[in-house]
Amino acid sequence: MSEAKLQVDNLSIQFINDGRTTDAVRNVSFSLGREKLAIVGESGSGKSTVGRSLLRLHPASARISADTLRFGDLNLLDADEKTLRSIRGRRISMIMQDPKYSLNPVMTVGAQITEAYLAHHRVSQREARKQTLEMLEKVHIRDPERVYSLYPHEVSGGMGQRIMIAMMLIPNPEIIIADEPTSALDVSVQQQVLSVLDELVTQRNLGLIFISHDLNLVRNFCDRVLVMYAGRVVESIRAADLDQAQHPYTRGLLAALPSLTQRRERLPVLQRDPSWLTD
Amino acid sequence: MAMIEIQSLNLSFGLDGSRVQVLKDVNFQVREGESFGLVGESGSGKTTVLRCLAGQYSHWEGELRINGERLGRTLDRDRCRRVQMVFQDPYGSLHPRHTVETALGEPLHIHGIGQHRERIGAILSKVGLNDSFRYRYPHQLSGGQRQRVAIARALILEPRILLLDEPTSALDVSVQAEILNLLADLRQREGLTYLMVTHDLGVVAHLCSRVAVMQHGKVLETLDTNDLVRGEASDPYTRMLISCSQHKSRDRDCA
Amino acid sequence: MTTQISMAARTSSEPHTRYQALWLSLGTGARRLLHNPLTGAGLLVVLLLLLVALFAPWLATHDPLAQDLNRSLHAPNADNWFGTDEFGRDIFSRLVYGSRITLYIIALVTVIVGPIGLAVGTISGYFGGVVDMLFMRITDIFISFPSLVLALAFVAALGPGLEHAVIAIALTTWPPIARLARAETLQLRNADFIVAVQLQGASSARVILRHIVPMCLSSVIVRLTMNMAGIILTAAGLGFLGLGAQPPLPEWGAMISTGRSYMMECWWLVAAPGLAIMLVSLAFNLLGDGLRDLLDPRSE
């Protein structure tokens, strides 16, 4: 963990709908170095909103405020649309949950990756194609030449997600935000995708923000975990230390998970404490 | 005695040229009062088995028996009162324009059962909801509350068998625990037989006593959950599934 | 992400009866409908049309049919606000009474078209196969003719008259509704909540009537509202061609038709009913747009 690539202090996000204000994110602070940081929470906890707001991809009804929202030496909070466009994809890229919806259905997989590369590099079409094939190989696709000319509906979910990873990594970004990248996949495929992601992130020394609802998945895959509840970070802990989590919410989540090895008559139900919302 | 008996069940979709066989010679039995798990990855045909039993598909071949009686191809009312299903997605399984009361009253109307008010009140309290939920629309309920309503709807006809299609996979972990506890309680109290489809071995280990593992439309093996937990599965695919879900909590390489 | 939070806010006022639940959701609907000023304007004009039709005898300053040849073709003045026509009839009063005819046509066409379109669409979408094939080919036949031509053919066959015009218009407007209902039904047919009632033993009729039709209703209502503008225009067109309402009935299209020969000297003969037609059809369009924003889940 060297210098921070991303520094976030007191990030708050509100949604304004029909004159009603809802706080989606409240005073979230963290910094990201060359590491794998997980943001974990249940639906409605604001974890995805945090991820999107870093790229300023939030809906128009959202109001963002923060003391610091710094990427390298750039202030993301004041950056204009043009600067942001040059950052999105090129320096920070995002992997979404379902490759089915994030890939363009009428373009071949290869053409899409090539386009992503060309958007940020001035090279010939042939060079871009060569880079694409190399990238496909890096995400462990066995026959890149064949996969290059496939359409998204012709590839399986696991391969689609690896293609997404290839597409997001080809411009060589510094930070990747992965929003539930494996929840739409089967367990066996999940592991493949995660190991590909892990390999590339480690190799290239990137910062990864891994947004997930699955504490168990995250505990092996990431270095550090932020646990969010109702828009707040209730606990920030090293993944290896999750067993010693302090906050009752984190502990409740861990206990509520049915497991293969520890069988219990009843699962302990999480008792939500209103004081979690205030302190 | 076997509550559910499935013998050489076959099912295919599509016409001659592009015929796809979804189920290949599926066999298993579920005892009365048992909770039986059907495990597999997407495309393994586990949900299709459920839908054949429920009566959604009618062009299957083979033999299905419930409580010793052979099932016909068409869905009759008698079967509806014995077998009911709970769906995976609590957001899609309730009619968006019907209140909880309308949704629960519908099966009673269909089967000409009276005393709606009392029955609906009773079933709501059984699934842990109070009377204030009666006149709410689905969009006013959380995911867990919706799944409770869906369970209540399945139980209001007092079936003996409940088919559960990944009933908790769309829910948050903390809500999943509540629903799993509820399902366990209901089975014990009402003497229900469960056939549950899931991809989560943890859930199976928690709720079920026996498991059938499916891949590519075939049942690979049927085994006791205790054996599954002890790692005594014989089929390599089952072992792979187990190691993947255990590795999730230890190490990350499998496959 | 925020939906759960906002949902909690919405349920704070808990309904205790079925009617209260309905009332609460209607209330939020109405508030959202009036949120857009254009929709509000459309709704206002439509309400105004209803009131004018309802209170026509009190609003009209003259008898709409009474001729007074001494006062023919007078320009708008204090006594005849919109002037008089070639027989000296008061145009304002004729417009006021004409609103009744317009509403009569709209209401009758809607009452005929809505159920037919819904029935054909949902049945063919739900059953599919041969039924779908048969129903949709019939629909295609009706769609393949330009609507005014088809309407003209029917009126020509049945003879001119208001009722015949209504039937003719209805014949040309149901197919798009049927197609819309069919498309919606195809989407719904495999939804879990439909499968759930099927597995509870509901008959096909029950599934269609109680579960599918209510889901199609909103888009059909939107489509019908948008269609009303077209209905008014087709009715006016038939009236203009002398095939709709017959003289001396003050139908707006027929008024333009007869006024056309004096149009150069007496602009009010054509302008007043023309503006009325324009205003009302615009209002229905705006209202339809607003209803779509409100009812169509895809636009959210």
Side-chain angles (χ1 to χ4, degrees):
Chain A
M1 217 191 290
S2 53
E3 87 286 14
K5 286 177 182 241
L6 190 71
Q7 181 67 43
V8 178
D9 286 323
N10 279 333
L11 173 70
S12 293
I13 301 167
Q14 296 175 320
F15 285 101
I16 299 167
N17 278 325
D18 298 336
R20 249 204 323 267
T21 315
T22 36
D23 291 304
V25 174
R26 290 172 246 211
N27 300 328
V28 167
S29 308
F30 63 90
S31 66
L32 177 78
R34 299 179 192 286
E35 59 177 331
K36 288 172 283 183
L37 172 73
I39 303 181
V40 177
E42 296 188 288
S43 52
S45 62
K47 56 185 192 301
S48 294
T49 315
V50 169
R52 279 158 197 272
S53 69
L54 295 178
L55 280 176
R56 302 259 305 270
L57 286 171
H58 47 78
S61 62
R63 298 280 166 276
I64 292 194
S65 61
D67 293 348
T68 326
L69 195 60
R70 195 172 49 78
F71 168 57
D73 40 10
L74 201 94
N75 185 352
L76 286 175
L77 212 54
D78 305 331
D80 56 4
E81 195 51 37
K82 195 168 156 241
T83 326
L84 285 170
R85 264 204 305 275
S86 72
I87 292 174
R88 283 181 202 143
R90 174 80 186 84
R91 299 181 65 195
I92 304 180
S93 53
M94 198 153 179
I95 301 169
M96 304 285 196
Q97 179 171 0
D98 199 336
K100 249 182 272 166
Y101 302 111
S102 347
L103 290 169
N104 182 346
V106 296
M107 257 172 101
T108 62
V109 162
Q112 289 183 57
I113 304 178
T114 309
E115 196 181 79
Y117 187 67
L118 284 173
H120 302 291
H121 294 88
R122 288 173 183 278
V123 290
S124 69
Q125 193 78 30
R126 266 189 56 188
E127 172 64 20
R129 188 187 153 90
K130 205 182 115 226
Q131 291 288 341
T132 303
L133 291 173
E134 264 174 36
M135 195 66 222
L136 284 174
E137 227 163 305
K138 277 186 197 143
V139 294
H140 296 268
I141 283 173
R142 251 170 257 140
D143 189 357
E145 290 279 354
R146 188 181 63 87
V147 174
Y148 189 96
S149 52
L150 292 180
Y151 285 92
H153 69 266
E154 296 171 309
V155 303
S156 67
M159 193 189 277
Q161 202 58 300
R162 279 183 284 160
I163 289 166
M164 271 311 287
I165 293 175
M167 192 162 136
M168 290 301 138
L169 279 168
I170 203 168
N172 217 349
E174 292 155 56
I175 294 178
I176 300 176
I177 302 169
D179 192 349
E180 305 256 8
T182 59
S183 7
L185 307 175
D186 280 328
V187 256
S188 55
V189 189
Q190 235 173 45
Q191 300 299 324
Q192 274 172 21
V193 171
L194 284 180
S195 58
V196 164
L197 192 61
D198 186 40
E199 196 180 306
L200 290 170
V201 165
T202 322
Q203 237 171 46
R204 301 188 171 200
N205 226 347
L206 310 178
L208 172 72
I209 297 180
F210 191 92
I211 298 166
S212 175
H213 67 276
D214 193 337
L215 261 175
N216 262 345
L217 183 93
V218 147
R219 90 160 49 174
N220 303 297
F221 183 67
C222 294
D223 306 317
R224 209 150 53 89
V225 181
L226 297 182
V227 182
M228 284 190 73
Y229 176 72
R232 296 160 191 278
V233 173
V234 292
E235 183 148 19
S236 167
I237 189 168
R238 276 195 33 203
D241 301 337
L242 258 179
D243 282 329
Q244 285 105 55
Q246 292 304 309
H247 199 276
Y249 178 67
T250 319
R251 289 164 60 161
L253 276 188
L254 281 168
L257 211 66
S259 102
L260 251 182
T261 40
Q262 286 183 307
R263 297 176 75 190
R264 290 156 293 183
E265 196 57 33
R266 291 184 68 79
L267 294 167
V269 169
L270 187 69
Q271 300 299 329
R272 288 156 205 275
D273 189 336
S275 73
W276 298 349
L277 295 172
T278 46
D279 53 41
Chain B
M1 149 138 211
M3 192 67 183
I4 305 173
E5 254 184 286
I6 297 180
Q7 267 173 36
S8 48
L9 178 67
N10 281 287
L11 181 76
S12 36
F13 286 111
L15 296 169
D16 294 326
S18 54
R19 205 170 173 81
V20 186
Q21 193 160 5
V22 193
L23 295 180
K24 297 165 194 158
D25 241 357
V26 174
N27 288 293
F28 63 84
Q29 296 191 348
V30 184
R31 289 189 290 268
E32 181 166 7
E34 187 181 27
S35 177
F36 190 91
L38 210 50
V39 181
E41 304 201 310
S42 52
S44 63
K46 53 189 194 304
T47 302
T48 316
V49 173
L50 225 58
R51 293 186 178 230
C52 285
L53 269 174
Q56 199 189 344
Y57 299 136
S58 57
H59 56 286
W60 43 267
E61 282 159 37
E63 229 177 73
L64 298 180
R65 284 171 194 274
I66 281 179
N67 211 1
E69 268 176 65
R70 208 176 155 163
L71 287 186
R73 295 291 163 80
T74 49
L75 184 65
D76 53 56
R77 295 206 167 175
D78 193 38
R79 178 156 154 204
C80 298
R81 298 194 64 165
R82 289 194 288 172
V83 185
Q84 276 297 319
M85 182 151 158
V86 176
F87 295 83
Q88 173 176 13
D89 176 16
Y91 294 87
S93 64
L94 297 178
H95 197 292
R97 302 260 154 92
H98 286 175
T99 58
V100 170
E101 186 186 60
T102 319
L104 296 180
E106 190 69 5
L108 298 178
H109 268 292
I110 293 168
H111 291 269
I113 302 171
Q115 295 174 302
H116 288 200
R117 263 204 85 79
E118 296 75 22
R119 281 175 195 270
I120 291 170
I123 205 83
L124 277 177
S125 70
K126 253 185 208 166
V127 297
L129 297 174
N130 59 28
D131 243 23
S132 70
F133 288 92
R134 201 179 265 256
Y135 301 106
R136 291 207 199 158
Y137 288 96
H139 68 85
Q140 297 165 325
L141 303 175
S142 70
Q145 290 165 347
R146 286 181 205 215
Q147 204 58 310
R148 282 172 194 267
V149 173
I151 293 171
R153 177 181 59 187
L155 287 179
I156 203 162
L157 289 174
E158 296 168 359
R160 305 279 308 278
I161 299 173
L162 212 52
L163 306 173
L164 303 162
D165 183 6
E166 308 236 14
T168 59
S169 67
L171 303 174
D172 279 326
V173 183
S174 59
V175 184
Q176 164 170 293
E178 289 170 23
I179 297 290
L180 287 177
N181 285 340
L182 171 70
L183 286 170
D185 290 347
L186 284 170
R187 187 172 69 92
Q188 220 163 35
R189 231 183 303 144
E190 317 279 320
L192 295 164
T193 305
Y194 284 170
L195 175 55
M196 177 159 84
V197 158
T198 180
H199 65 270
D200 189 331
L201 287 179
V203 170
V204 165
H206 179 73
L207 199 67
C208 302
S209 51
R210 283 198 309 142
V211 192
V213 182
M214 286 188 76
Q215 189 191 21
H216 306 315
K218 285 189 198 140
V219 174
L220 295 178
E221 64 178 323
T222 310
L223 69 165
D224 207 90
T225 315
N226 292 324
D227 296 341
L228 183 88
V229 173
R230 270 185 258 124
E232 286 170 19
S234 54
D235 194 274
Y237 179 72
T238 316
R239 286 169 170 278
M240 192 274 284
L241 282 184
I242 296 172
S243 84
C244 274
S245 57
Q246 282 180 336
H247 277 126
K248 254 170 95 173
S249 38
R250 279 185 223 135
D251 187 80
R252 63 185 74 104
D253 306 297
C254 75
Chain C
M1 284 277 103
T2 49
T3 44
Q4 288 206 329
I5 303 168
S6 61
M7 245 166 231
R10 210 183 299 163
T11 45
S12 57
S13 52
E14 233 161 60
H16 294 291
T17 66
R18 186 178 319 181
Y19 304 104
Q20 216 176 334
L22 191 69
W23 189 244
L24 274 176
S25 58
L26 280 180
T28 35
R31 234 176 303 137
R32 282 176 51 200
L33 187 63
L34 294 175
H35 199 66
N36 181 348
L38 280 177
T39 314
L43 188 66
L44 197 72
V45 172
V46 172
L47 283 180
L48 205 68
L49 180 75
L50 282 171
L51 286 178
V52 166
L54 201 61
F55 297 109
W58 290 276
L59 287 171
T61 47
H62 299 74
D63 180 347
L65 302 181
Q67 300 186 3
D68 183 355
L69 292 176
N70 291 328
R71 303 173 54 84
S72 68
L73 296 175
H74 277 205
N77 56 53
D79 190 32
N80 309 103
W81 294 342
F82 292 169
T84 59
D85 67 4
E86 71 272 28
F87 299 111
R89 295 176 295 199
D90 180 49
I91 290 186
F92 173 73
S93 306
R94 285 178 69 75
L95 277 184
V96 166
Y97 274 92
S99 68
R100 286 186 161 185
I101 298 176
T102 304
L103 275 180
Y104 172 75
I105 294 173
I106 290 175
L108 215 55
V109 170
T110 307
V111 164
I112 297 172
V113 162
I116 291 182
L118 263 175
V120 171
T122 51
I123 289 173
S124 72
Y126 183 75
F127 290 105
V130 185
V131 181
D132 185 32
M133 174 95 158
L134 188 74
F135 275 14
M136 280 302 113
R137 291 303 82 78
I138 295 173
T139 315
D140 285 344
I141 293 172
F142 277 93
I143 280 184
S144 58
F145 291 101
S147 60
L148 193 62
V149 173
L150 192 63
L152 274 178
F154 275 106
V155 178
L158 298 168
L162 196 55
E163 280 75 17
H164 295 163
V166 167
I167 294 171
I169 295 170
L171 277 172
T172 63
T173 36
W174 72 265
I177 305 282
R179 280 202 167 172
L180 182 72
R182 174 176 174 270
E184 296 263 323
T185 310
L186 283 179
Q187 277 190 354
L188 289 169
R189 190 169 60 171
N190 295 318
D192 280 349
F193 62 89
I194 297 296
V195 175
V197 278
Q198 285 170 340
L199 296 185
Q200 279 161 351
S203 61
S204 299
R206 189 175 184 96
V207 176
I208 292 179
L209 282 176
R210 295 210 11 118
H211 298 267
I212 289 182
V213 167
M215 292 300 290
C216 299
L217 212 55
S218 51
S219 51
V220 166
I221 287 175
V222 170
R223 187 58 185 263
L224 278 174
T225 315
M226 304 276 247
N227 267 4
M228 283 176 187
I231 294 169
I232 294 168
L233 293 178
T234 314
L238 286 176
F240 180 81
L241 294 170
L243 297 167
Q246 294 303 301
L249 280 182
E251 201 271 323
W252 293 349
M255 284 167 70
I256 297 182
S257 170
T258 49
R260 150 184 75 136
S261 19
Y262 308 93
M263 195 167 74
M264 287 307 166
E265 305 81 38
C266 317
W267 53 268
W268 57 90
L269 250 59
V270 182
L275 276 176
I277 292 171
M278 195 189 84
L279 196 65
V280 172
S281 48
L282 184 67
F284 272 113
N285 259 329
L286 291 176
L287 184 64
D289 259 345
L291 281 176
R292 184 180 54 204
D293 292 345
L294 178 72
L295 296 174
D296 193 348
R298 269 161 303 194
S299 60
E300 275 178 28

